[in-house]
């Protein structure tokens, strides 16, 4: 007997998550000097963390022998004040990935199903399959969510709909009124998980107060993260906003100390550092224009993006990705998102973007 054989079939069937390649891996594989490698593969903030977050971490480091506050009192208070919700409507996560997992563990099981869009975030199928539930993948429309088709795909056994807005890896975005109407159209026993990992990057005129919707929809869970615009991906901290009753259910399956104390302290400081987020968004807008202009000059089609990344059609994503790796540029191939012609590139600093565009121009003619 092999232990693999007693693993539930639905676990054996999972295709593992493929992360962006770490710089140290590439250096080892191709014998490159780490300092010459740029990584534009995981939608990290190219500015580095907020100095205020770093100062908060240094202070919190003195208490490393203590368990973190499992209830996250101070961080919840800060989030509650920012979004005008109550602390008991917030669940903290070890990254927002943790929130998605908590939803799956709490509400899905074998015999139930979850609906999500084609070309949507890889964690939705992972979280769904990990608890033996069925994935219902709805074909995209112009690379974005087809909400009408997603609504029709909801079955009696559906308990969760995963929605990414903006979506990763396509960068597509749906206006708030359409998302709201979709949520309102769902049966009361179907949870809408509105994943807003890239919300902070939306242009101000596109921002909507989605947090206000949770008072209206007890079946709505909004997830947010400190990994992207707040620049704290390594610390793993995110949160969900939801009805207090739903939060109480998620908290039953949450690890008691799932968010460490450095992450909590840094997140509080980052949330208060509005200038850092504004600077990050401004740098992102400039970088996005730089890459779009570069793609136009190279005659490449791209999907207009509302995130801090952009997917571009390079004809053969696997080939171009390998060529870029050899030049010390790490981007994300997205064949596993059914987009084999594309690569996804994170907006970097101006110098990183220029280096990527130059390497891409070479890779295309090799
Ligand atoms: C990056 C990302 C997340 C968040 O990741 P965490 O680091 O776990 O917070 C969530 N959803 C989408 C769509 C993402 O791209």
């Amino acid at each position: 007997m092999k232990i693999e054989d007693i693993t539930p079939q639905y676990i054996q069937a999972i295709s593992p998550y493929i992360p962006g390649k770490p710089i140290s891996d590439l250096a080892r594989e191709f014998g490159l000097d780490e300092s010459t490698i740029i990584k534009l593969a995981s939608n990290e903030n190219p500015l580095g963390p907020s100095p205020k977050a770093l100062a908060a971490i240094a202070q919190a480091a003195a208490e490393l022998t203590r368990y973190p506050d499992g209830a996250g009192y101070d961080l919840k208070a800060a989030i509650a004040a920012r979004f005008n919700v109550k602390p008991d409507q917030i669940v903290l996560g070890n990254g927002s990935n943790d929130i998605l997992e908590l939803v799956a563990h709490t509400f899905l099981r074998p015999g139930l199903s979850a609906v999500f869009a084609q070309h949507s975030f890889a964690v939705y199928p992972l979280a769904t399959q990990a608890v033996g539930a069925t994935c219902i993948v709805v074909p995209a429309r112009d690379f974005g969510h087809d909400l009408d088709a997603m609504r029709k795909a909801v079955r009696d056994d559906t308990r969760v709909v995963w929605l990414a807005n903006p979506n990763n890896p396509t960068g597509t975005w749906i206006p708030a009124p359409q998302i709201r109407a979709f949520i309102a159209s769902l049966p009361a026993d179907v949870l809408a998980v509105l994943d807003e990992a890239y919300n902070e990057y939306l242009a101000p005129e596109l921002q909507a107060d989605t947090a206000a919707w949770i008072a209206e929809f007890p079946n709505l869970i909004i997830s947010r993260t400190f990994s992207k615009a707040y620049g704290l991906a390594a610390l793993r901290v995110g949160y969900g906003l939801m009805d207090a009753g739903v939060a109480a259910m998620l908290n039953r399956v949450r690890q008691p100390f799932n968010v460490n104390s450095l992450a909590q302290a840094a997140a509080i400081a980052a949330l208060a550092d509005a200038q850092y987020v504004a600077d990050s968004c401004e740098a992102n807008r400039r970088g996005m224009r730089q890459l779009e202009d570069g793609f136009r000059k190279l005659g490449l089609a791209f999907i207009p993006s509302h995130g801090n990344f952009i997917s571009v059609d390079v004809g053969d994503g696997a080939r171009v990705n390998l060529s870029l790796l050899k030049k010390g540029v790490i981007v994300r191939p997205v064949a596993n998102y059914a987009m084999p012609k594309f690569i996804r590139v994170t907006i970097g600093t101006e110098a990183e973007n220029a280096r990527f565009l130059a390497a891409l121009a070479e890779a295309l003619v090799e």
Side-chain angles (χ1 to χ4, degrees):
M1 185 215 59
K2 287 207 313 246
I3 289 293
E4 287 89 324
D5 298 334
I6 60 159
T7 310
Q9 195 52 48
Y10 58 81
I11 299 290
Q12 294 186 46
I14 290 176
S15 335
Y17 182 78
I18 311 169
K21 190 186 263 305
I23 288 175
S24 51
D25 276 16
L26 182 62
R28 270 194 301 275
E29 280 170 33
F30 290 91
L32 300 173
D33 177 350
E34 284 196 18
S35 67
T36 66
I37 295 173
I38 60 170
K39 181 179 176 222
L40 302 173
S42 301
N43 302 344
E44 294 145 341
N45 190 323
L47 301 190
S50 151
K52 292 183 176 155
L54 290 177
I57 290 168
Q59 206 173 6
E63 294 292 338
L64 281 183
T65 55
R66 308 248 173 242
Y67 278 94
D69 175 5
Y73 184 89
D74 292 334
L75 178 54
K76 280 190 195 167
I79 294 168
R82 167 66 61 89
F83 297 107
N84 197 23
V85 297
K86 300 205 178 69
D88 65 0
Q89 295 174 311
I90 301 167
V91 175
L92 300 181
N94 188 250
S96 60
N97 200 125
D98 194 21
I99 301 296
L100 307 178
E101 295 260 337
L102 290 174
V103 170
H105 280 282
T106 307
F107 296 106
L108 295 174
R109 58 175 164 76
L112 298 176
S113 67
V115 168
F116 56 90
Q118 179 191 22
H119 315 305
S120 196
F121 190 38
V123 168
Y124 308 151
L126 283 175
T128 303
Q129 289 173 284
V131 294
T134 301
C135 295
I136 301 174
V137 187
V138 179
R141 198 167 54 191
D142 297 332
F143 291 103
H145 293 18
D146 181 343
L147 291 182
D148 291 337
M150 289 178 77
R151 177 64 188 84
K152 289 197 186 99
V154 170
R155 312 189 302 215
D156 287 347
D157 66 6
T158 302
R159 291 290 175 275
V160 172
V161 180
W162 307 106
L163 299 157
N165 203 40
N167 184 46
N168 171 20
T170 61
T172 51
W173 169 80
I174 298 171
Q178 290 176 42
I179 293 282
R180 197 181 168 287
F182 175 82
I183 296 165
S185 80
L186 288 174
D189 62 356
V190 177
L191 286 142
V193 179
L194 181 56
D195 178 348
E196 297 189 318
Y198 302 97
N199 168 77
E200 294 81 5
Y201 288 108
L202 285 175
E205 66 275 15
L206 304 182
Q207 297 272 355
D209 183 12
T210 50
W213 301 351
I214 65 172
E216 222 174 321
F217 302 116
N219 58 337
L220 170 62
I221 295 172
I222 295 172
S223 79
R224 298 270 182 97
T225 183
F226 287 96
S227 298
K228 308 285 161 60
Y230 289 101
L232 297 174
L235 285 179
R236 316 303 304 124
V237 51
Y239 56 97
L241 307 176
M242 66 205 79
D243 178 80
V246 176
M249 293 300 127
L250 262 59
N251 277 322
R252 282 169 163 74
V253 297
R254 183 178 62 82
Q255 278 188 49
F257 303 106
N258 62 330
V259 182
N260 72 75
S261 43
L262 303 187
Q264 291 187 35
I268 292 166
L271 196 63
D273 193 352
Q275 192 59 49
Y276 172 82
V277 176
D279 291 348
S280 299
C281 291
E282 181 49 34
N284 190 61
R285 270 189 288 278
R286 281 197 306 270
M288 186 71 81
R289 274 199 299 272
Q290 186 185 357
L291 289 192
E292 288 176 349
D293 289 347
F295 295 153
R296 284 192 196 98
K297 283 191 190 121
L298 293 169
L300 299 177
F302 57 85
I303 307 171
S305 171
H306 289 88
N308 66 339
F309 57 87
I310 185 165
S311 286
V312 57
D313 184 344
V314 293
D316 181 345
R319 186 190 71 74
V320 169
N321 177 59
L322 183 61
S323 169
L324 290 172
L325 286 176
K326 289 178 182 157
K327 299 175 203 305
V329 177
I330 310 175
V331 299
R332 196 68 154 262
V334 282
N336 56 324
Y337 286 94
M339 295 166 64
K341 294 162 80 173
F342 287 77
I343 54 172
R344 188 199 70 192
V345 56
T346 301
I347 311 302
T349 62
E350 190 178 352
E352 288 171 335
N353 298 334
R355 163 108 185 266
F356 158 70
L357 286 170
L360 178 61
E362 286 177 20
L364 289 169
V365 295
E366 269 166 9

Short mmCIF file of all heavy atoms in Angstrom, two decimals, residues 69-98:
data_model
loop_
_atom_site.label_atom_id
_atom_site.label_comp_id
_atom_site.label_asym_id
_atom_site.label_seq_id
_atom_site.Cartn_x
_atom_site.Cartn_y
_atom_site.Cartn_z
N ASP A 69 -1.66 38.53 19.27
CA ASP A 69 -3.06 38.69 19.70
C ASP A 69 -3.92 37.92 18.69
O ASP A 69 -4.11 38.36 17.56
CB ASP A 69 -3.42 40.18 19.69
CG ASP A 69 -4.90 40.40 20.00
OD1 ASP A 69 -5.60 39.41 20.30
OD2 ASP A 69 -5.35 41.56 19.91
N GLY A 70 -4.43 36.79 19.13
CA GLY A 70 -5.21 35.93 18.23
C GLY A 70 -6.48 36.60 17.74
O GLY A 70 -7.03 36.23 16.69
N ALA A 71 -6.97 37.58 18.48
CA ALA A 71 -8.19 38.28 18.06
C ALA A 71 -7.86 39.49 17.19
O ALA A 71 -8.75 40.11 16.62
CB ALA A 71 -8.99 38.72 19.29
N GLY A 72 -6.57 39.86 17.10
CA GLY A 72 -6.15 40.98 16.25
C GLY A 72 -6.86 42.28 16.59
O GLY A 72 -7.28 43.02 15.71
N TYR A 73 -6.97 42.56 17.89
CA TYR A 73 -7.80 43.68 18.34
C TYR A 73 -7.43 45.00 17.67
O TYR A 73 -8.30 45.69 17.11
CB TYR A 73 -7.69 43.81 19.87
CG TYR A 73 -8.58 44.89 20.44
CD1 TYR A 73 -9.88 44.60 20.82
CD2 TYR A 73 -8.12 46.21 20.55
CE1 TYR A 73 -10.72 45.60 21.32
CE2 TYR A 73 -8.94 47.21 21.03
CZ TYR A 73 -10.24 46.90 21.41
OH TYR A 73 -11.05 47.90 21.89
N ASP A 74 -6.15 45.37 17.72
CA ASP A 74 -5.74 46.68 17.20
C ASP A 74 -5.89 46.76 15.68
O ASP A 74 -6.33 47.78 15.15
CB ASP A 74 -4.29 46.99 17.60
CG ASP A 74 -4.15 47.22 19.10
OD1 ASP A 74 -5.15 47.63 19.73
OD2 ASP A 74 -3.05 46.97 19.64
N LEU A 75 -5.50 45.71 14.99
CA LEU A 75 -5.62 45.73 13.53
C LEU A 75 -7.08 45.78 13.11
O LEU A 75 -7.46 46.53 12.21
CB LEU A 75 -4.90 44.52 12.91
CG LEU A 75 -5.01 44.41 11.39
CD1 LEU A 75 -4.55 45.69 10.68
CD2 LEU A 75 -4.19 43.20 10.88
N LYS A 76 -7.91 45.00 13.79
CA LYS A 76 -9.34 45.05 13.46
C LYS A 76 -9.92 46.43 13.73
O LYS A 76 -10.75 46.93 12.97
CB LYS A 76 -10.11 43.99 14.25
CG LYS A 76 -10.01 42.60 13.65
CD LYS A 76 -11.00 41.69 14.37
CE LYS A 76 -10.70 40.24 14.08
NZ LYS A 76 -11.42 39.35 14.99
N ALA A 77 -9.48 47.05 14.83
CA ALA A 77 -9.98 48.40 15.14
C ALA A 77 -9.61 49.36 14.02
O ALA A 77 -10.43 50.20 13.61
CB ALA A 77 -9.40 48.88 16.48
N ALA A 78 -8.38 49.24 13.52
CA ALA A 78 -7.94 50.14 12.44
C ALA A 78 -8.73 49.89 11.15
O ALA A 78 -9.15 50.83 10.47
CB ALA A 78 -6.44 49.94 12.19
N ILE A 79 -8.95 48.62 10.83
CA ILE A 79 -9.71 48.29 9.61
C ILE A 79 -11.16 48.73 9.77
O ILE A 79 -11.77 49.28 8.84
CB ILE A 79 -9.63 46.76 9.33
CG1 ILE A 79 -8.20 46.36 8.98
CG2 ILE A 79 -10.59 46.36 8.21
CD1 ILE A 79 -7.96 44.86 8.96
N ALA A 80 -11.72 48.51 10.97
CA ALA A 80 -13.12 48.88 11.22
C ALA A 80 -13.32 50.38 11.03
O ALA A 80 -14.29 50.83 10.42
CB ALA A 80 -13.53 48.46 12.63
N ALA A 81 -12.34 51.16 11.55
CA ALA A 81 -12.46 52.61 11.44
C ALA A 81 -12.34 53.04 9.97
O ALA A 81 -13.07 53.92 9.52
CB ALA A 81 -11.37 53.29 12.27
N ARG A 82 -11.46 52.40 9.25
CA ARG A 82 -11.25 52.78 7.85
C ARG A 82 -12.48 52.49 6.98
O ARG A 82 -12.85 53.28 6.12
CB ARG A 82 -10.02 52.04 7.30
CG ARG A 82 -9.86 52.09 5.78
CD ARG A 82 -9.58 53.49 5.29
NE ARG A 82 -8.35 53.99 5.86
CZ ARG A 82 -7.16 53.81 5.30
NH1 ARG A 82 -7.07 53.20 4.16
NH2 ARG A 82 -6.10 54.28 5.89
N PHE A 83 -13.11 51.34 7.20
CA PHE A 83 -14.18 50.93 6.28
C PHE A 83 -15.57 51.05 6.90
O PHE A 83 -16.54 50.59 6.30
CB PHE A 83 -13.93 49.51 5.79
CG PHE A 83 -12.65 49.42 5.00
CD1 PHE A 83 -11.54 48.81 5.54
CD2 PHE A 83 -12.56 50.01 3.74
CE1 PHE A 83 -10.35 48.75 4.83
CE2 PHE A 83 -11.37 49.95 3.02
CZ PHE A 83 -10.26 49.33 3.56
N ASN A 84 -15.61 51.65 8.08
CA ASN A 84 -16.91 51.88 8.70
C ASN A 84 -17.69 50.58 8.90
O ASN A 84 -18.87 50.47 8.56
CB ASN A 84 -17.72 52.87 7.85
CG ASN A 84 -18.87 53.46 8.61
OD1 ASN A 84 -18.84 53.49 9.85
ND2 ASN A 84 -19.90 53.90 7.91
N VAL A 85 -16.98 49.57 9.41
CA VAL A 85 -17.62 48.31 9.78
C VAL A 85 -17.30 48.05 11.24
O VAL A 85 -16.52 48.78 11.86
CB VAL A 85 -17.12 47.13 8.91
CG1 VAL A 85 -17.46 47.34 7.45
CG2 VAL A 85 -15.61 46.91 9.09
N LYS A 86 -17.90 47.00 11.81
CA LYS A 86 -17.62 46.68 13.21
C LYS A 86 -16.53 45.61 13.27
O LYS A 86 -16.41 44.79 12.35
CB LYS A 86 -18.89 46.14 13.88
CG LYS A 86 -20.03 47.15 13.88
CD LYS A 86 -21.00 46.86 15.03
CE LYS A 86 -22.11 47.89 15.04
NZ LYS A 86 -23.01 47.70 13.85
N PRO A 87 -15.74 45.62 14.34
CA PRO A 87 -14.67 44.61 14.44
C PRO A 87 -15.17 43.17 14.27
O PRO A 87 -14.46 42.34 13.72
CB PRO A 87 -14.09 44.84 15.84
CG PRO A 87 -14.35 46.30 16.10
CD PRO A 87 -15.68 46.59 15.45
N ASP A 88 -16.39 42.90 14.73
CA ASP A 88 -16.86 41.51 14.60
C ASP A 88 -17.32 41.17 13.18
O ASP A 88 -17.77 40.07 12.91
CB ASP A 88 -17.95 41.19 15.64
CG ASP A 88 -19.23 41.99 15.43
OD1 ASP A 88 -19.29 42.81 14.48
OD2 ASP A 88 -20.17 41.81 16.23
N GLN A 89 -17.19 42.15 12.27
CA GLN A 89 -17.46 41.88 10.86
C GLN A 89 -16.17 41.67 10.07
O GLN A 89 -16.17 41.66 8.84
CB GLN A 89 -18.24 43.05 10.25
CG GLN A 89 -19.64 43.21 10.86
CD GLN A 89 -20.33 44.46 10.37
OE1 GLN A 89 -19.75 45.56 10.37
NE2 GLN A 89 -21.57 44.31 9.94
N ILE A 90 -15.05 41.53 10.80
CA ILE A 90 -13.74 41.37 10.16
C ILE A 90 -13.14 40.04 10.59
O ILE A 90 -13.18 39.67 11.76
CB ILE A 90 -12.78 42.50 10.63
CG1 ILE A 90 -13.36 43.87 10.26
CG2 ILE A 90 -11.39 42.32 10.01
CD1 ILE A 90 -12.65 45.03 10.95
N VAL A 91 -12.60 39.32 9.61
CA VAL A 91 -11.79 38.13 9.90
C VAL A 91 -10.40 38.39 9.33
O VAL A 91 -10.27 38.78 8.18
CB VAL A 91 -12.39 36.85 9.29
CG1 VAL A 91 -11.46 35.65 9.52
CG2 VAL A 91 -13.77 36.56 9.86
N LEU A 92 -9.36 38.20 10.17
CA LEU A 92 -8.00 38.40 9.70
C LEU A 92 -7.46 37.09 9.13
O LEU A 92 -7.80 36.01 9.61
CB LEU A 92 -7.10 38.88 10.85
CG LEU A 92 -7.51 40.20 11.50
CD1 LEU A 92 -6.52 40.57 12.61
CD2 LEU A 92 -7.61 41.33 10.46
N GLY A 93 -6.61 37.23 8.12
CA GLY A 93 -6.08 36.03 7.48
C GLY A 93 -4.58 36.09 7.30
O GLY A 93 -3.98 37.17 7.26
N ASN A 94 -3.97 34.91 7.23
CA ASN A 94 -2.54 34.77 6.92
C ASN A 94 -2.40 34.97 5.41
O ASN A 94 -2.29 34.04 4.63
CB ASN A 94 -2.10 33.36 7.35
CG ASN A 94 -0.62 33.17 7.25
OD1 ASN A 94 -0.12 32.43 6.41
ND2 ASN A 94 0.10 33.83 8.12
N GLY A 95 -2.47 36.23 5.00
CA GLY A 95 -2.69 36.57 3.60
C GLY A 95 -4.18 36.43 3.33
O GLY A 95 -4.90 35.78 4.09
N SER A 96 -4.67 37.08 2.27
CA SER A 96 -6.10 36.92 1.99
C SER A 96 -6.36 35.52 1.46
O SER A 96 -7.49 35.02 1.49
CB SER A 96 -6.60 38.00 1.04
OG SER A 96 -5.93 37.96 -0.18
N ASN A 97 -5.30 34.85 0.99
CA ASN A 97 -5.42 33.44 0.62
C ASN A 97 -6.07 32.63 1.75
O ASN A 97 -6.89 31.74 1.52
CB ASN A 97 -4.00 32.93 0.34
CG ASN A 97 -3.99 31.67 -0.49
OD1 ASN A 97 -3.35 31.61 -1.53
ND2 ASN A 97 -4.69 30.66 -0.04
N ASP A 98 -5.69 32.95 2.97
CA ASP A 98 -6.22 32.26 4.14
C ASP A 98 -7.74 32.48 4.25
O ASP A 98 -8.49 31.56 4.59
CB ASP A 98 -5.51 32.83 5.38
CG ASP A 98 -5.69 32.01 6.64
OD1 ASP A 98 -6.01 30.82 6.55
OD2 ASP A 98 -5.49 32.58 7.74
#
